[in-house]
Amino acid sequence: MGANTSAKKTNEQLLWFEEITLKDLPKVGGKNASLGEMIRHLTSKGIKVPEGFAITTKAFAEFVDNSALEGKINAALEGLDPDNPSDVAERGKKVRKMFLESPFPPELQREIEYGYWELGRKLNIPNPSVAIRSSATSEDLEGASFAGQHETMLNVRGETAVLKAIKQCFASLFTDRAIAYRVHKGFGQIGNLLSVGVQRMVRSDLACSGVMFTLDTESGFDNVVYITGSWGLGEMIVQGAVNPDQFYVFKPSIGKFEDPIIEKKLGSKQQKLVYAEKGPGMMDVEVSEADRQRFVLSDEEIVKLAEWACIIEDHYKKHMDIEWAKDGITGEMYIVQARPETVHAVKTQNVLETYVLEDKGEVLTRGEAVGSKIGKGLVKVLESAYEISEFRKGEVLVTDKTDPDWEPIMRIASAIVTDRGGRTCHAAIVSRELGIPCIIGTGTGSRVLKTGQEVTIDTSEGQGLVYAGLLKFRIDRTNLASLPTTKTKIMMNVSVPEHVFTQGQIPCDGVGLARLEFIIMAHIGIHPLALIEFEKLKKKAETDPDIAKMVDKIEELTHGYDNKEDFFVEKLAWGVGKIAATFHPRDVIVRLSDFKTNEYASLLGGTLYEPTEENPMIGWRGASRYYAGHFKEAFKLECVALKRVRDKKGLTNVKVMVPFCRTPEEGKKVIHTMAEFGLTQGENGLEVFMMAEIPSNVVLAEEFADVFDGFSIGSNDLTQLMLGLDRDSELVSHLYDERNPAVKRMIASVIERVKKKGKKIGICGQAPSDFPDFAEFLVECGIDSMSLNSDSVIKTRLLVAEKEKALGH
């Protein structure tokens, strides 16, 4: 403004962030109050928040009074039908026009101009670029996120532009979606006041930004910080225009262990929002292929953000939804918003609802699951929010992406499917709050699915699947408060990490079986020796076209890893780490890889290293591979990954289990080999268990007990080897039965003999999950634990409790 800027701040219309705390929420709204709270109380703890000021709710009220808007608004909204999008749109447009055409009171205009000038002076930047954000007194409260309800304008420069943007924020109190949202949430229309924040822009257009939560957004699991990020300004993530990078960090290990990251997932990040080339405003640009293929954050930055998230959560004493940004000029990280998480904050914790799909159908498309429910209905494909009047209650909304304009129909949809978006985008946030199933990032959903088509939307298994037809499903409800405790530990079998946060909500005593080969197959897909010998393969590729194709595919899958062995180790460590973090501090027993030769051969590059066996089921598998000359280096990678999980991530609840160990001498060889690679029995509390699945394991139970710390009965293999049949052969499958007297005698014998040696013994086979009478038999034998499929845990606990009661345990 120059020399004539002599207006004196009155503290009535303008407050600087450093003057504000949460107690000032009535004056400055939820967003601004939180920014001030962090600047006042968390700056000393290292958290950086960009400078700025708030235009107060009193200033907003003066603006409304100055143009006598209250009576006009009441008249415009009288008789509103919030479920009629056309009615809401017509009235909302009329109200917003009133705001945009009304002048600022002279004194308020001077205050705003002064504040903007003073901010520039503090920053030593004339006409600084600022973000103008709405901050309503009813938003960012527990149970009401108002996600994207009110306006935000980015890269605003100059007094005239700032004044115009503030007026647009005032008007956004009455956007169509905000009007309808307040009605549905029970808030009044006129009683809500709006504040506006004017905040220095962080130059994340030259770097990256994102959103993080202090819990897992789908399951509510709260021992992790969940971080998303993409290139450029963060609006792209909120709008669902990009599929961002995703990171999980294990809270209890932050600041205590070297590597608390338990998952990293690369997003496609095809677009980014940056400053317009000429003047203020924004524009979308394509992200280079090189940037799409790399993470937006380093590991150090991921951990730093997670530390900040924990500090903020600890200060607010509740789970938080936080926006972050990195300045591409200075390299500094900033927190630009923090608000209470709104979905899990209002959920009851005593009732577990499990959706179970009872039919199967053709999978039409798939994407990322939001929530863990099932919905069904007729498809309605819409290209834009202008078509929402065509939508009918109970239909499945299918579109490219959503923004707040879609909310009137999102409320009446049975499910939502989008082409784009990550788990912190608008569609994900709103569908969680509404409690409806949503699948995001399908890529092709709006083209594959057709209006009027009958579909079922399934997010119950951790992945988002759209099935053809209206399939039957049920909802199982369990009162967790009334579950009995049992002397017999009831544990869970876990396959892949994708479902584990949801599975972890089921009350159990830990994981009795986590299979490494499942993680290798799903997350790595490459034979370990092909990674170890990758440079040799590259040379062979020069003269062999088939190997050249294989090398190209390995390069594609391991992009970003110069050392291909690191790819195997890191992916495996993330998979095991995510499972172990979910159940921490309860035991997680991880079985070392138990691929048969034909299964290893199916991995990329596997045919180069695997022999052909007539009967792989009883061939070169399990323990016999780990110390064998040319496979020993591959086994090393498993040991290095597990050591990283225990030592660098702090997850010492991980125990190791050796499968298919034929003799006690072989067991000693395996334990010696593990120690060679740094995984030493007894060190840092490491226990090593073995599978009891071969008749020799039973006959020599006492000798094996001198080698291992505990046992887990593998009833599947024990049954086939006792009965001398191939369980995969249809010709003899009718004879396969774990309840055969010979099998049961072997099981009873090994339980008795192992317990006499003072060692632990459980079971992780299929039988107790499938047959209640078999579970009762195991209780009678005095087994220490049963590890079951996730859908059998609760019913088996109830059964075991009854049996123990009957036996007087």
Side-chain angles (χ1 to χ4, degrees):
M1 285 179 61
N4 64 352
T5 314
S6 56
K8 184 179 179 182
K9 183 166 63 65
T10 66
N11 286 328
E12 294 291 323
Q13 296 171 321
L14 186 150
L15 289 172
W16 292 92
F17 287 159
E18 57 264 29
E19 298 177 297
I20 298 169
T21 70
L22 284 178
K23 294 178 181 178
D24 295 305
L25 189 147
K27 296 180 183 178
V28 297
K31 195 174 283 114
N32 288 333
S34 187
L35 289 169
E37 180 77 9
M38 288 189 291
I39 288 175
R40 285 280 292 272
H41 298 290
L42 301 182
T43 300
S44 61
K45 297 185 178 181
I47 292 177
K48 292 182 170 65
V49 179
E51 304 87 341
F53 60 88
I55 309 301
T56 66
T57 54
K58 185 177 189 304
F60 172 81
E62 289 175 359
F63 179 88
V64 170
D65 290 344
N66 187 65
S67 297
L69 289 177
E70 183 171 348
K72 299 174 186 177
I73 293 169
N74 281 327
L77 297 180
E78 187 176 357
L80 171 74
D81 178 2
D83 294 318
N84 183 336
S86 297
D87 186 38
V88 175
E90 183 180 343
R91 294 167 186 261
K93 183 178 180 181
K94 188 175 180 180
V95 172
R96 290 192 297 277
K97 187 178 179 184
M98 296 176 194
F99 276 89
L100 298 176
E101 292 179 348
S102 298
F104 281 104
E107 183 183 353
L108 175 57
Q109 181 165 331
R110 286 194 298 272
E111 286 292 327
I112 295 170
E113 291 171 341
Y114 166 77
Y116 181 65
W117 174 84
E118 177 68 7
L119 179 62
R121 188 191 65 78
K122 288 181 177 182
L123 298 173
N124 198 26
I125 302 173
N127 288 328
S129 173
V130 293
I132 311 289
R133 303 181 189 276
S134 306
S135 180
T137 54
S138 55
E139 73 179 345
D140 295 348
L141 307 174
E142 285 188 67
S145 72
F146 279 80
Q149 295 295 326
H150 310 305
E151 292 295 339
T152 291
M153 269 68 72
L154 304 175
N155 190 23
V156 180
R157 290 198 196 104
E159 293 169 3
T160 302
V162 167
L163 288 165
K164 180 180 177 182
I166 290 171
K167 200 179 286 188
Q168 287 175 301
C169 284
F170 283 173
S172 76
L173 189 63
F174 293 93
T175 57
D176 301 346
R177 70 256 187 182
I179 293 168
Y181 191 88
R182 281 193 293 271
V183 173
H184 285 287
K185 280 290 181 181
F187 294 107
Q189 296 289 350
I190 302 300
N192 288 280
L193 297 175
L194 194 78
S195 169
V196 175
V198 179
Q199 186 177 35
R200 171 173 68 87
M201 283 288 292
V202 175
R203 291 303 304 271
S204 59
D205 61 304
L206 302 175
C208 56
S209 57
V211 181
M212 58 183 174
F213 289 81
T214 60
L215 80 174
D216 175 52
T217 53
E218 306 314 312
S219 65
F221 176 61
D222 66 356
N223 251 4
V224 290
V225 176
Y226 171 56
I227 304 172
T228 63
S230 69
W231 300 113
L233 296 158
E235 296 301 301
M236 278 289 191
I237 292 180
V238 176
Q239 293 169 4
V242 296
N243 297 328
D245 293 342
Q246 300 177 65
F247 313 101
Y248 281 103
V249 186
F250 184 51
K251 287 181 188 174
S253 292
I254 295 173
K256 299 176 184 175
F257 293 90
E258 180 182 337
D259 178 20
I261 301 168
I262 58 171
E263 183 171 279
K264 292 166 63 175
K265 188 182 293 185
L266 192 70
S268 55
K269 309 183 296 291
Q270 294 175 329
Q271 294 174 292
K272 63 179 177 178
L273 191 66
V274 298
Y275 283 14
E277 291 179 353
K278 295 180 180 179
M282 319 305 302
M283 65 178 187
D284 294 354
V285 297
E286 293 289 317
V287 174
S288 70
E289 186 61 32
D291 281 347
R292 293 180 193 180
Q293 293 297 323
R294 67 186 182 100
F295 289 112
V296 299
L297 293 170
S298 67
D299 286 0
E300 292 76 16
E301 289 169 335
I302 293 167
V303 174
K304 182 177 184 177
L305 283 175
E307 288 175 344
W308 284 6
C310 291
I311 291 169
I312 293 169
E313 179 182 54
D314 184 62
H315 178 77
Y316 283 80
K317 306 300 182 190
K318 59 187 68 173
H319 300 311
M320 299 296 289
D321 169 357
I322 303 162
E323 293 183 25
W324 61 270
K326 179 180 178 180
D327 193 299
I329 297 175
T330 66
E332 295 282 356
M333 307 289 287
Y334 290 90
I335 299 299
V336 294
Q337 283 191 48
R339 51 186 166 255
E341 188 275 336
T342 59
V343 177
H344 296 282
V346 296
K347 279 189 175 179
T348 174
Q349 299 298 314
N350 288 328
V351 177
L352 178 69
E353 279 194 348
T354 306
Y355 283 67
V356 181
L357 191 64
E358 296 182 320
D359 294 332
K360 289 292 180 182
E362 177 192 358
V363 176
L364 301 175
T365 188
R366 65 185 68 216
E368 195 155 5
V370 176
S372 55
K373 294 185 176 182
I374 300 173
K376 56 186 177 181
L378 300 180
V379 168
K380 188 69 172 184
V381 181
L382 298 180
E383 292 186 6
S384 76
Y386 295 112
E387 302 172 308
I388 63 176
S389 60
E390 301 172 17
F391 195 84
R392 299 292 175 264
K393 186 175 182 179
E395 290 181 325
V396 175
L397 172 62
V398 179
T399 189
D400 180 49
K401 64 183 180 69
T402 69
D403 59 35
D405 289 330
W406 292 86
E407 289 183 29
I409 62 170
M410 294 174 76
R411 299 180 176 284
I412 59 174
S414 61
I416 298 169
V417 178
T418 69
D419 295 344
R420 294 190 283 168
R423 283 168 48 199
T424 52
C425 72
H426 176 268
I429 291 171
V430 173
S431 62
R432 277 188 212 104
E433 186 171 324
L434 297 175
I436 59 177
C438 175
I439 300 176
I440 52 176
T442 62
T444 60
S446 64
R447 298 189 295 278
V448 172
L449 304 177
K450 307 300 180 185
T451 292
Q453 188 174 13
E454 293 181 341
V455 295
T456 298
I457 310 302
D458 181 12
T459 63
S460 65
E461 292 287 335
Q463 58 180 329
L465 298 173
V466 180
Y467 290 102
L470 303 177
L471 304 182
K472 185 179 180 183
F473 68 90
R474 71 175 191 273
I475 306 173
D476 295 336
R477 293 180 175 86
T478 304
N479 186 343
L480 302 183
S482 64
L483 277 183
T485 57
T486 56
K487 179 182 177 183
T488 308
K489 287 188 174 182
I490 304 300
M491 304 179 81
M492 187 184 296
N493 296 334
V494 172
S495 53
V496 290
E498 278 75 14
H499 311 156
V500 73
F501 287 156
T502 299
Q503 291 172 331
Q505 306 301 302
I506 301 171
C508 69
D509 297 307
V511 174
L513 176 64
R515 307 169 179 90
L516 276 198
E517 63 270 14
F518 279 34
I519 300 173
I520 294 169
M521 183 70 77
H523 292 263
I524 298 170
I526 306 169
H527 195 287
L529 289 175
L531 296 169
I532 292 170
E533 299 186 358
F534 186 68
E535 293 304 317
K536 292 181 181 179
L537 289 179
K538 284 172 68 176
K539 290 181 180 179
K540 291 181 180 179
E542 295 172 3
T543 57
D544 189 326
D546 291 333
I547 291 182
K549 289 180 183 177
M550 182 187 301
V551 165
D552 288 345
K553 185 63 177 176
I554 292 174
E555 285 278 29
E556 179 187 336
L557 292 173
T558 62
H559 183 85
Y561 290 87
D562 294 330
N563 183 336
K564 304 306 179 185
E565 295 175 34
D566 290 343
F567 170 78
F568 187 99
V569 170
E570 193 161 59
K571 289 282 189 178
L572 195 56
W574 288 339
V576 173
K578 189 173 180 181
I579 295 170
T582 302
F583 292 88
H584 185 271
R586 294 164 289 174
D587 284 354
V588 171
I589 301 174
V590 177
R591 189 179 72 186
L592 299 168
S593 61
D594 192 24
F595 282 122
K596 291 79 175 174
T597 50
N598 60 323
E599 293 169 338
Y600 256 127
S602 69
L603 297 174
L604 187 60
T607 53
L608 300 176
Y609 302 101
E610 292 298 322
T612 300
E613 295 185 291
E614 289 297 323
N615 194 341
M617 188 71 79
I618 54 173
W620 193 39
R621 60 177 285 200
S624 59
R625 298 184 72 102
Y626 306 149
Y627 55 87
H630 70 285
F631 191 81
K632 188 175 178 181
E633 286 302 304
F635 179 62
K636 175 182 178 179
L637 301 185
E638 294 183 32
C639 295
V640 172
L642 291 172
K643 183 175 175 62
R644 177 178 294 186
V645 171
R646 288 176 49 83
D647 295 354
K648 294 188 177 182
K649 299 184 188 297
L651 293 162
T652 54
N653 57 322
V654 167
K655 318 295 182 184
V656 175
M657 184 153 66
V658 179
F660 227 76
C661 184
R662 293 173 168 97
T663 68
E665 291 71 29
E666 186 170 60
K668 292 174 184 176
K669 284 184 180 179
V670 171
I671 287 175
H672 177 75
T673 303
M674 288 170 54
E676 279 186 58
F677 301 137
L679 206 57
T680 304
Q681 185 180 27
E683 190 175 282
N684 202 11
L686 176 62
E687 291 183 297
V688 182
F689 293 77
M690 67 163 276
M691 295 286 292
E693 54 190 339
I694 305 171
S696 65
N697 300 152
V698 180
V699 174
L700 300 176
E702 288 84 359
E703 288 86 344
F704 279 107
D706 290 334
V707 178
F708 292 99
D709 298 299
F711 297 73
S712 184
I713 300 165
S715 57
N716 297 347
D717 273 325
L718 186 59
T719 299
Q720 75 168 342
L721 293 171
M722 273 301 298
L723 300 180
L725 56 81
D726 180 351
R727 70 175 191 256
D728 290 340
S729 171
E730 294 182 3
L731 299 174
V732 292
S733 61
H734 63 285
L735 294 171
Y736 181 88
D737 189 348
E738 298 97 324
R739 296 170 294 178
N740 182 283
V743 178
K744 292 178 72 172
R745 286 186 190 181
M746 293 291 276
I747 288 174
S749 173
V750 74
I751 292 172
E752 180 184 5
R753 294 161 69 189
V754 166
K755 288 178 73 69
K756 280 184 179 178
K757 289 286 289 186
K759 297 294 177 75
K760 294 176 280 189
I761 184 164
I763 189 168
C764 59
Q766 186 70 24
S769 290
D770 290 345
F771 308 119
D773 59 325
F774 197 86
E776 292 180 338
F777 158 72
L778 293 170
V779 175
E780 291 171 356
C781 292
I783 200 163
D784 293 310
S785 65
M786 297 183 207
S787 194
L788 308 144
N789 298 335
S790 59
D791 60 355
S792 303
V793 166
I794 290 175
K795 69 179 182 182
T796 305
R797 180 181 290 279
L798 296 171
L799 176 75
V800 168
E802 285 296 317
K803 186 64 177 178
E804 288 182 348
K805 183 178 179 181
L807 294 172
H809 289 178

